[in-house]
Amino acid sequence: MASDPATFLTQTFTYPPYDPQWQIKWTCLGPPDAQPIVFMHGTPWSSRLWAPYALALSKKYCVYLFDNPGYGQSKHLSPVAAAAFATNGALTNQAEATAALFTHWGFVSRSVDHARSMHAPYVVAHDSAGLVSLRMALQHDCVYKSLILIDVIAVGPWGLPFFKLVADNEDVFNAIPPQMFDGLARGWIRTAADKPLRKEDEDMLAEPWVSGEGRPGQQGLVRVLKQASKRISDDVERQYHKIGESGLPVRIIWGKEDNWLPCERAEKLKELIGGKTEVVLVEEAGHLIQLDQPIRLMAEIVRFLGEVDRL
């Protein structure tokens, strides 16, 4: 998956401004006055997973890409922030920081004057970004024009055995020699795909977790997996019905061969959200549906956005 300079994250948002803890890298491409779309990545990925989709849709839409705090190019600015990140399985800090980023971009919010805000964005969320995007809407007054949830973390039960193994042996995993850890990380990443990953795609997915300047590196991935072992969503799951009741167009897309999050979760999430939410199951696609079935996924995204455009 070659990188196009148009998708490079050239902008920086620091949060919170009074006591900086996070440095979020982002970019925007496409006509600035067009309908905005935000692509949100999950764990342990980065915005590069969405880059080809963003580039294709930027011919019609104003597309936003960013790396979550602690992922890709976005950094923790203090040991305190890194430690808080590792224990925040509920993802409340990511939701808070990303909601602030949406405000920084000028998107409409129920808590600010609409006359001074841009129109609401389409939001496309994958993996843990599902829980983040739902928290943003329900707990931070973020307003979306539509929401696409793709193989998302949003409903329990949680916790792959590997996550718990890492959390219970944090020092051991941090002490693994870098070359051996690289092999471990790559082996785990491969389990997210239904088809063999191309080397360039595997390199792209693994690169942030290889130790190097400006990267989260080995300790960063251990923090991410430790956080994933503590995932909590019970407090917000009982509010999902408010999304459906609001009339927000929601489409759930799921890889039928997802070994990380079984596709039965899609139906459970649909029932919790309610409204006119629909589920699309994609054959021969695992958790990394973006790489397993890119043409089918793009077709589903474009089809849904077209439906919303006509509303």
Side-chain angles (χ1 to χ4, degrees):
M1 183 180 290
S3 298
D4 187 291
T7 64
F8 291 174
L9 307 183
T10 57
Q11 305 295 317
T12 302
F13 173 68
T14 302
Y15 182 81
Y18 53 84
D19 181 24
Q21 300 291 317
W22 320 96
Q23 187 182 77
I24 302 176
K25 300 295 290 185
W26 65 277
T27 194
C28 177
L29 53 157
D33 57 347
Q35 167 64 43
I37 303 179
V38 182
F39 282 95
M40 299 174 63
H41 73 82
T43 302
W45 322 117
S46 74
S47 60
R48 290 183 64 185
L49 190 59
W50 282 125
Y53 296 81
L55 196 62
L57 289 171
S58 67
K59 295 176 176 61
K60 179 178 180 181
Y61 301 101
C62 181
V63 186
Y64 289 80
L65 290 173
F66 69 101
D67 281 348
N68 292 339
Y71 295 74
Q73 299 177 48
S74 295
K75 304 175 183 178
H76 304 296
L77 296 180
S78 73
V80 173
F85 171 89
T87 58
N88 188 242
L91 301 178
T92 52
N93 52 13
Q94 283 193 42
E96 178 184 335
T98 308
L101 179 63
F102 273 43
T103 299
H104 175 72
W105 287 336
F107 293 150
V108 66
S109 168
R110 286 187 294 271
S111 60
V112 299
D113 182 1
H114 289 204
R116 293 185 291 110
S117 301
M118 294 169 56
H119 41 293
Y122 295 146
V123 172
V124 182
H126 178 241
D127 191 84
S128 56
L131 179 55
V132 172
S133 64
L134 290 164
R135 283 195 183 280
M136 289 167 60
L138 292 166
Q139 299 174 338
H140 295 279
D141 292 327
C142 290
V143 175
Y144 313 141
K145 187 171 182 180
S146 70
L147 179 61
I148 300 178
L149 300 169
I150 303 172
D151 292 82
V152 293
I153 289 172
V155 293
W158 301 119
L160 292 174
F162 181 56
F163 296 165
K164 188 175 187 306
L165 180 66
V166 174
D168 291 344
N169 299 276
E170 183 177 0
D171 292 341
V172 173
F173 279 88
N174 278 325
I176 294 174
Q179 286 186 323
M180 294 177 64
F181 187 85
D182 178 68
L184 177 67
R186 288 173 181 271
W188 174 58
I189 285 169
R190 291 185 200 115
T191 67
D194 181 57
K195 301 177 180 180
L197 291 171
R198 296 185 305 169
K199 185 179 185 304
E200 63 183 280
D201 291 335
E202 183 180 306
D203 289 344
M204 177 271 293
L205 296 170
E207 182 184 13
W209 312 116
V210 178
S211 296
E213 185 176 354
R215 302 173 185 168
Q218 181 170 337
Q219 290 188 349
L221 183 55
V222 171
R223 275 196 301 269
V224 163
L225 299 180
K226 180 180 178 180
Q227 182 203 70
S229 75
K230 303 176 184 298
R231 194 70 70 223
I232 300 170
S233 58
D234 293 355
D235 64 308
V236 74
E237 282 184 36
R238 62 180 69 100
Q239 301 179 53
Y240 288 169
H241 66 94
K242 296 179 181 178
I243 298 289
E245 292 168 358
S246 73
L248 176 70
V250 179
R251 182 67 46 86
I252 299 171
I253 303 174
W254 219 276
K256 198 169 183 180
E257 281 68 52
D258 190 334
N259 291 320
W260 285 18
L261 296 171
C263 60
E264 290 77 15
R265 302 278 184 97
E267 290 297 334
K268 182 177 179 181
L269 181 57
K270 175 186 175 181
E271 291 176 6
L272 289 173
I273 294 176
K276 297 182 179 180
T277 302
E278 295 183 10
V279 172
V280 175
L281 297 181
V282 179
E283 301 277 353
E284 298 183 13
H287 193 65
L288 282 172
I289 188 173
Q290 298 96 328
L291 303 178
D292 281 330
Q293 293 289 352
I295 296 175
R296 174 70 190 281
L297 178 59
M298 177 61 89
E300 293 296 341
I301 291 174
V302 170
R303 180 180 294 113
F304 181 63
L305 295 182
E307 292 173 8
V308 177
D309 282 341
R310 291 190 292 272
L311 292 178

PDB file of all heavy atoms in Angstrom, residues 57 61 148 297-307 309-310:
ATOM      1  N   LEU A  57     -12.041   9.125  -2.378  1.00  0.00           N
ATOM      2  CA  LEU A  57     -13.241   9.907  -2.071  1.00  0.00           C
ATOM      3  C   LEU A  57     -12.981  11.410  -2.060  1.00  0.00           C
ATOM      4  O   LEU A  57     -13.928  12.200  -2.071  1.00  0.00           O
ATOM      5  CB  LEU A  57     -13.820   9.460  -0.735  1.00  0.00           C
ATOM      6  CG  LEU A  57     -14.463   8.067  -0.748  1.00  0.00           C
ATOM      7  CD1 LEU A  57     -14.798   7.618   0.665  1.00  0.00           C
ATOM      8  CD2 LEU A  57     -15.712   8.054  -1.622  1.00  0.00           C
ATOM      9  N   TYR A  61     -15.484  14.624  -1.866  1.00  0.00           N
ATOM     10  CA  TYR A  61     -15.680  15.028  -0.475  1.00  0.00           C
ATOM     11  C   TYR A  61     -14.421  15.676   0.104  1.00  0.00           C
ATOM     12  O   TYR A  61     -13.319  15.515  -0.422  1.00  0.00           O
ATOM     13  CB  TYR A  61     -16.048  13.813   0.386  1.00  0.00           C
ATOM     14  CG  TYR A  61     -17.303  13.100  -0.041  1.00  0.00           C
ATOM     15  CD1 TYR A  61     -17.253  11.919  -0.781  1.00  0.00           C
ATOM     16  CD2 TYR A  61     -18.561  13.600   0.309  1.00  0.00           C
ATOM     17  CE1 TYR A  61     -18.409  11.256  -1.172  1.00  0.00           C
ATOM     18  CE2 TYR A  61     -19.724  12.943  -0.078  1.00  0.00           C
ATOM     19  CZ  TYR A  61     -19.642  11.775  -0.816  1.00  0.00           C
ATOM     20  OH  TYR A  61     -20.796  11.130  -1.198  1.00  0.00           O
ATOM     21  N   ILE A 148     -20.835   5.060   9.667  1.00  0.00           N
ATOM     22  CA  ILE A 148     -20.550   3.715   9.190  1.00  0.00           C
ATOM     23  C   ILE A 148     -19.636   3.043  10.206  1.00  0.00           C
ATOM     24  O   ILE A 148     -18.562   3.560  10.527  1.00  0.00           O
ATOM     25  CB  ILE A 148     -19.877   3.725   7.799  1.00  0.00           C
ATOM     26  CG1 ILE A 148     -20.772   4.403   6.769  1.00  0.00           C
ATOM     27  CG2 ILE A 148     -19.554   2.300   7.359  1.00  0.00           C
ATOM     28  CD1 ILE A 148     -20.151   4.501   5.373  1.00  0.00           C
ATOM     29  N   LEU A 297     -15.653  -3.202  -0.083  1.00  0.00           N
ATOM     30  CA  LEU A 297     -15.849  -2.242   1.003  1.00  0.00           C
ATOM     31  C   LEU A 297     -16.076  -0.839   0.443  1.00  0.00           C
ATOM     32  O   LEU A 297     -16.974  -0.123   0.898  1.00  0.00           O
ATOM     33  CB  LEU A 297     -14.646  -2.248   1.947  1.00  0.00           C
ATOM     34  CG  LEU A 297     -14.719  -1.236   3.094  1.00  0.00           C
ATOM     35  CD1 LEU A 297     -15.955  -1.463   3.959  1.00  0.00           C
ATOM     36  CD2 LEU A 297     -13.457  -1.295   3.951  1.00  0.00           C
ATOM     37  N   MET A 298     -15.271  -0.455  -0.541  1.00  0.00           N
ATOM     38  CA  MET A 298     -15.462   0.872  -1.134  1.00  0.00           C
ATOM     39  C   MET A 298     -16.851   0.983  -1.757  1.00  0.00           C
ATOM     40  O   MET A 298     -17.521   2.023  -1.623  1.00  0.00           O
ATOM     41  CB  MET A 298     -14.387   1.142  -2.193  1.00  0.00           C
ATOM     42  CG  MET A 298     -14.561   2.475  -2.907  1.00  0.00           C
ATOM     43  SD  MET A 298     -14.476   3.906  -1.788  1.00  0.00           S
ATOM     44  CE  MET A 298     -12.716   4.222  -1.843  1.00  0.00           C
ATOM     45  N   ALA A 299     -17.302  -0.070  -2.408  1.00  0.00           N
ATOM     46  CA  ALA A 299     -18.634  -0.043  -3.017  1.00  0.00           C
ATOM     47  C   ALA A 299     -19.715   0.146  -1.964  1.00  0.00           C
ATOM     48  O   ALA A 299     -20.669   0.912  -2.169  1.00  0.00           O
ATOM     49  CB  ALA A 299     -18.879  -1.328  -3.803  1.00  0.00           C
ATOM     50  N   GLU A 300     -19.569  -0.522  -0.819  1.00  0.00           N
ATOM     51  CA  GLU A 300     -20.557  -0.391   0.254  1.00  0.00           C
ATOM     52  C   GLU A 300     -20.536   1.009   0.857  1.00  0.00           C
ATOM     53  O   GLU A 300     -21.584   1.579   1.176  1.00  0.00           O
ATOM     54  CB  GLU A 300     -20.312  -1.442   1.330  1.00  0.00           C
ATOM     55  CG  GLU A 300     -20.565  -2.871   0.904  1.00  0.00           C
ATOM     56  CD  GLU A 300     -22.014  -3.143   0.537  1.00  0.00           C
ATOM     57  OE1 GLU A 300     -22.895  -2.356   0.942  1.00  0.00           O
ATOM     58  OE2 GLU A 300     -22.274  -4.141  -0.167  1.00  0.00           O
ATOM     59  N   ILE A 301     -19.350   1.570   1.030  1.00  0.00           N
ATOM     60  CA  ILE A 301     -19.234   2.925   1.575  1.00  0.00           C
ATOM     61  C   ILE A 301     -19.878   3.932   0.616  1.00  0.00           C
ATOM     62  O   ILE A 301     -20.687   4.778   1.020  1.00  0.00           O
ATOM     63  CB  ILE A 301     -17.764   3.290   1.829  1.00  0.00           C
ATOM     64  CG1 ILE A 301     -17.199   2.456   2.988  1.00  0.00           C
ATOM     65  CG2 ILE A 301     -17.619   4.787   2.130  1.00  0.00           C
ATOM     66  CD1 ILE A 301     -15.702   2.639   3.210  1.00  0.00           C
ATOM     67  N   VAL A 302     -19.529   3.842  -0.669  1.00  0.00           N
ATOM     68  CA  VAL A 302     -20.055   4.774  -1.666  1.00  0.00           C
ATOM     69  C   VAL A 302     -21.571   4.627  -1.788  1.00  0.00           C
ATOM     70  O   VAL A 302     -22.297   5.625  -1.903  1.00  0.00           O
ATOM     71  CB  VAL A 302     -19.368   4.546  -3.027  1.00  0.00           C
ATOM     72  CG1 VAL A 302     -20.073   5.336  -4.128  1.00  0.00           C
ATOM     73  CG2 VAL A 302     -17.893   4.948  -2.949  1.00  0.00           C
ATOM     74  N   ARG A 303     -22.056   3.391  -1.750  1.00  0.00           N
ATOM     75  CA  ARG A 303     -23.503   3.160  -1.860  1.00  0.00           C
ATOM     76  C   ARG A 303     -24.246   3.830  -0.697  1.00  0.00           C
ATOM     77  O   ARG A 303     -25.252   4.518  -0.902  1.00  0.00           O
ATOM     78  CB  ARG A 303     -23.800   1.664  -1.873  1.00  0.00           C
ATOM     79  CG  ARG A 303     -25.302   1.349  -1.996  1.00  0.00           C
ATOM     80  CD  ARG A 303     -25.554  -0.146  -1.999  1.00  0.00           C
ATOM     81  NE  ARG A 303     -24.989  -0.775  -3.187  1.00  0.00           N
ATOM     82  CZ  ARG A 303     -23.965  -1.626  -3.173  1.00  0.00           C
ATOM     83  NH1 ARG A 303     -23.391  -1.970  -2.017  1.00  0.00           N
ATOM     84  NH2 ARG A 303     -23.507  -2.154  -4.281  1.00  0.00           N
ATOM     85  N   PHE A 304     -23.725   3.652   0.508  1.00  0.00           N
ATOM     86  CA  PHE A 304     -24.387   4.230   1.678  1.00  0.00           C
ATOM     87  C   PHE A 304     -24.307   5.757   1.661  1.00  0.00           C
ATOM     88  O   PHE A 304     -25.307   6.436   1.938  1.00  0.00           O
ATOM     89  CB  PHE A 304     -23.758   3.682   2.955  1.00  0.00           C
ATOM     90  CG  PHE A 304     -24.391   4.214   4.217  1.00  0.00           C
ATOM     91  CD1 PHE A 304     -25.715   3.950   4.513  1.00  0.00           C
ATOM     92  CD2 PHE A 304     -23.659   4.980   5.118  1.00  0.00           C
ATOM     93  CE1 PHE A 304     -26.310   4.438   5.673  1.00  0.00           C
ATOM     94  CE2 PHE A 304     -24.235   5.474   6.269  1.00  0.00           C
ATOM     95  CZ  PHE A 304     -25.568   5.207   6.552  1.00  0.00           C
ATOM     96  N   LEU A 305     -23.150   6.302   1.315  1.00  0.00           N
ATOM     97  CA  LEU A 305     -23.028   7.761   1.260  1.00  0.00           C
ATOM     98  C   LEU A 305     -23.970   8.338   0.211  1.00  0.00           C
ATOM     99  O   LEU A 305     -24.551   9.415   0.411  1.00  0.00           O
ATOM    100  CB  LEU A 305     -21.578   8.164   0.947  1.00  0.00           C
ATOM    101  CG  LEU A 305     -20.533   7.797   2.017  1.00  0.00           C
ATOM    102  CD1 LEU A 305     -19.169   8.307   1.597  1.00  0.00           C
ATOM    103  CD2 LEU A 305     -20.924   8.348   3.387  1.00  0.00           C
ATOM    104  N   GLY A 306     -24.129   7.612  -0.891  1.00  0.00           N
ATOM    105  CA  GLY A 306     -25.067   8.063  -1.938  1.00  0.00           C
ATOM    106  C   GLY A 306     -26.488   8.089  -1.412  1.00  0.00           C
ATOM    107  O   GLY A 306     -27.251   9.022  -1.710  1.00  0.00           O
ATOM    108  N   GLU A 307     -26.851   7.064  -0.633  1.00  0.00           N
ATOM    109  CA  GLU A 307     -28.197   7.030  -0.045  1.00  0.00           C
ATOM    110  C   GLU A 307     -28.407   8.229   0.883  1.00  0.00           C
ATOM    111  O   GLU A 307     -29.472   8.869   0.868  1.00  0.00           O
ATOM    112  CB  GLU A 307     -28.390   5.728   0.729  1.00  0.00           C
ATOM    113  CG  GLU A 307     -28.434   4.484  -0.135  1.00  0.00           C
ATOM    114  CD  GLU A 307     -28.450   3.205   0.701  1.00  0.00           C
ATOM    115  OE1 GLU A 307     -28.574   3.304   1.949  1.00  0.00           O
ATOM    116  OE2 GLU A 307     -28.343   2.104   0.116  1.00  0.00           O
ATOM    117  N   ASP A 309     -26.713  11.076   0.827  1.00  0.00           N
ATOM    118  CA  ASP A 309     -26.698  12.305   0.018  1.00  0.00           C
ATOM    119  C   ASP A 309     -28.082  12.626  -0.521  1.00  0.00           C
ATOM    120  O   ASP A 309     -28.446  13.805  -0.689  1.00  0.00           O
ATOM    121  CB  ASP A 309     -25.722  12.167  -1.158  1.00  0.00           C
ATOM    122  CG  ASP A 309     -24.268  12.338  -0.747  1.00  0.00           C
ATOM    123  OD1 ASP A 309     -24.026  12.905   0.342  1.00  0.00           O
ATOM    124  OD2 ASP A 309     -23.380  11.900  -1.495  1.00  0.00           O
ATOM    125  N   ARG A 310     -28.869  11.593  -0.810  1.00  0.00           N
ATOM    126  CA  ARG A 310     -30.198  11.796  -1.412  1.00  0.00           C
ATOM    127  C   ARG A 310     -31.279  12.083  -0.400  1.00  0.00           C
ATOM    128  O   ARG A 310     -32.424  12.386  -0.768  1.00  0.00           O
ATOM    129  CB  ARG A 310     -30.571  10.576  -2.260  1.00  0.00           C
ATOM    130  CG  ARG A 310     -29.733  10.419  -3.529  1.00  0.00           C
ATOM    131  CD  ARG A 310     -30.291   9.351  -4.444  1.00  0.00           C
ATOM    132  NE  ARG A 310     -30.152   8.010  -3.855  1.00  0.00           N
ATOM    133  CZ  ARG A 310     -29.080   7.233  -4.008  1.00  0.00           C
ATOM    134  NH1 ARG A 310     -28.043   7.675  -4.718  1.00  0.00           N
ATOM    135  NH2 ARG A 310     -29.036   6.026  -3.478  1.00  0.00           N
TER     136      ARG A 310
END
